Structures are given as structure tokens and as C-alpha cells.
Amino acid sequence: MEHSLRRELEIIHEIPLYWSFVEKWAQVETFQARPDDLLISTYPKSGTTWISEIVDMIYNDGNVEKCKRDAIFNRVPFMEMSGPGFPSGTEQLATMPSPRLVKTHLPTQLLPVSFWEQDCKMIYLARNAKDVAVSYYHFYQMAKAHPDPGTWAEFLGKFMAGKVAYGSWYDHVKGWWEKKKAYRILYLFYEDMKEDPKREIEKVIQFLGKELKENVMNKILHHTSFQEMKKNPTVNYEMMPTWAMDHSVSPFMRKGISGDWKNYFTVAQNEIFDAHYKEQMEGSRLGCRMEI
Ligand code: A3P
Ligand code: EST
């Protein structure tokens, strides 16, 4: 299975993506968003699963048992996902009762237009580029749909050039930052969530127009901590078949920290990265903290 799954990425509207997603692209493009959908958008490896579990906990009033009803990839379907052996995200969503939680990694220009037309609320979570690159490198190794990442140095080069699934991190975070000006988007940062999860969860609750009791907040904080999520099979992706993801190569819930890039970047790589970063982010007011 491994050999048939690991294939080069294909290009769709100038963005590299898994061949199996591209194959069903028409379903994505024509996807019908509903006004009460909540879209959770991220560049891969930015804490998608974490924010998804937080939002599902808020929707279920902190009821842990309800949140354990199914795997996260069924509770919060991955809209553009499709591949042999899985129902596609759009198929899952079509039969799902409202209000739906929808996961995507798409850059703004590839998002189905119905989300803009319906003026859906959206939460965008960004994480600093260096930690994303390190996390993505491990994900490429454990999730079998990816092309061989090569060495860390090779992968880092591809990441900087935007030659990875979902394309350029820089364009992704900047694109969503711009959309925030005209649409209902709550723009959050992984580093802020690590620093003060309660403060960030409060922002989410307010954005959703909900009110939660203090004891519910405490339950959410505990249940969505890295330690709890790592051992929770409904969120740690151990419910995915091992032919698709091999946690013995690298667990999905890997480290869950900020600043792990320091263990991977050489001094030279860091200098080159910083210079390239400055160039790419020139003129944008968006700032990510590389550590906390
Ligand atoms: P690392 O590989 O750096 O550990 P995504 O869900 O977007 O694929 O992101 C996965 C990354 O988020 C992984 O990063 C994972 O460990 C981290 N993560 C998942 N749950 C987390 C949590 N509750 N707290 C902190 N980090 C978490
Ligand atoms: C890609 C990004 C992401 O955030 C989560 C997942 C989970 C499901 C993965 C997919 C992915 C990458 C492609 C696959 C898929 C399961 C089968 C498919 O081949 C590995």
C-alpha cells in the first residue's frame, strides 16, 4: 500500500495538493456552505486538531462523553479530503445536521465561494513558520500520502519554496489575514494558545456568541491540554488505519510545544530562513512569535 500511496503532489490552481484530493476537485469547488457553518481554517500542522476539539467542546457545553462520540475527523469533517478507503469530506458534510464544524487547509483563493457568499463565521489559527516546518517534516514521514520528504535540509528548502502540500505558508497566513478585513474571521495564534489557553478560549466563546460557566471552562482547559489529547484516541489520529498513518514513525501528537525548531535548524539554516522570511512577509503587519 505504501508505494501506491506515496505519490508526487499535483498542482491545482497553482497550489500543490494530494492527487486524490485533486481527483475530486469538482465536489470541493461546488460545495454548498450553510450560513450557520463554522469554518476552521489553518495551514497544515498549525494546531487544527487542537482548535477543533476546543470548538467541539464549546458546542457540547464541555461534555467530554459527547466529544468522544466519534473521531475528530468525523466530528469536524475535512472538507477537501478524499482518498481511496475514506468517504470524502464533502460527502460526510452533505449528510451532517447543522450546525456543522468544517475543517479546511485551503488558501483563501481556493475556498469554495459559498463560504464567502453565506458569510460564514471562520476561525483561522496560525502557527510560526519554523515550528510548522518541523511538524510538517514529521507528518510527511508518518502520513503516507506525501512524497518522500528527503532530508530535513531538503524538506526545509521545499517548505520555503512553497513546494509542499497547500503551497506557501507565507501566502496562506497573509491571504487569510487580508480576508479578516471584510469577513467574520477570528484570527488566532498557536503561540498565544500555548501561553494562555484560557484567554484564547474566551475569545472563541465570545466570537461564537456563547456563554460558558467557569466549571465548563475548566473542563475544556483540562480536556484539550496536550497531555490529555495525546492519550485520547478520538483526537490523536490512532483511529486512522496504519496504512494511512504510522504513529511508530512519528506520533501525530508529537511534542505540542513552541520553539522545537531550535532542535532542527542549524545556525546557517536559521540565517537563510530569517532573511527569506523578511522578504516574504515584507509589507504585512502580521507578526508571529517564533517562541514564547
Ligand atoms: P508538533 O508536531 O509540533 O508536536 P494539526 O492538528 O494542524 O495537524 O497540528 C498538529 C500539531 O499540533 C502537532 O505539533 C501537535 O502535537 C500539535 N497539537 C495537537 N494538539 C495540541 C494541544 N492540545 N496542545 C498543543 N499542541 C497540540
Ligand atoms: C492531511 C492533512 C491533515 O491535516 C490531516 C490529514 C488526515 C488524513 C490524511 C491527510 C491529512 C493526508 C492524506 C491521507 C489522509 C488519510 C489517507 C490519505 O492518504 C494520508
Side-chain angles (χ1 to χ4, degrees), residues 89-106:
T90 52
E91 281 160 11
Q92 281 180 295
L93 285 160
T95 57
M96 200 170 172
S98 292
R100 303 181 297 188
L101 300 176
V102 182
K103 162 183 166 179
T104 188
H105 291 314
L106 293 175

Side-chain angles (χ1 to χ4, degrees), residues 207-247:
F207 177 69
L208 297 175
K210 309 224 180 215
E211 271 176 52
L212 293 189
K213 299 213 174 70
E214 187 69 17
N215 69 322
V216 174
M217 169 60 90
N218 289 335
K219 266 198 235 171
I220 297 178
L221 281 169
H222 175 74
H223 179 75
T224 61
S225 68
F226 182 73
Q227 287 70 24
E228 285 298 311
M229 284 186 57
K230 189 173 172 67
K231 66 182 186 204
N232 177 353
T234 66
V235 293
N236 67 14
Y237 276 86
E238 280 168 17
M239 288 163 84
M240 272 265 158
T242 47
W243 57 258
M245 279 189 182
D246 187 347
H247 297 270

Side-chain angles (χ1 to χ4, degrees), residues 44-50 127 135 190 194 224-226 229 252-256:
K45 311 326 286 175
S46 303
T48 328
T49 317
W50 188 13
R127 186 183 191 186
S135 184
Y190 181 97
K194 284 298 292 184
T224 61
S225 68
F226 182 73
M229 284 186 57
F252 185 91
M253 292 289 166
R254 197 182 59 88
K255 284 197 183 168

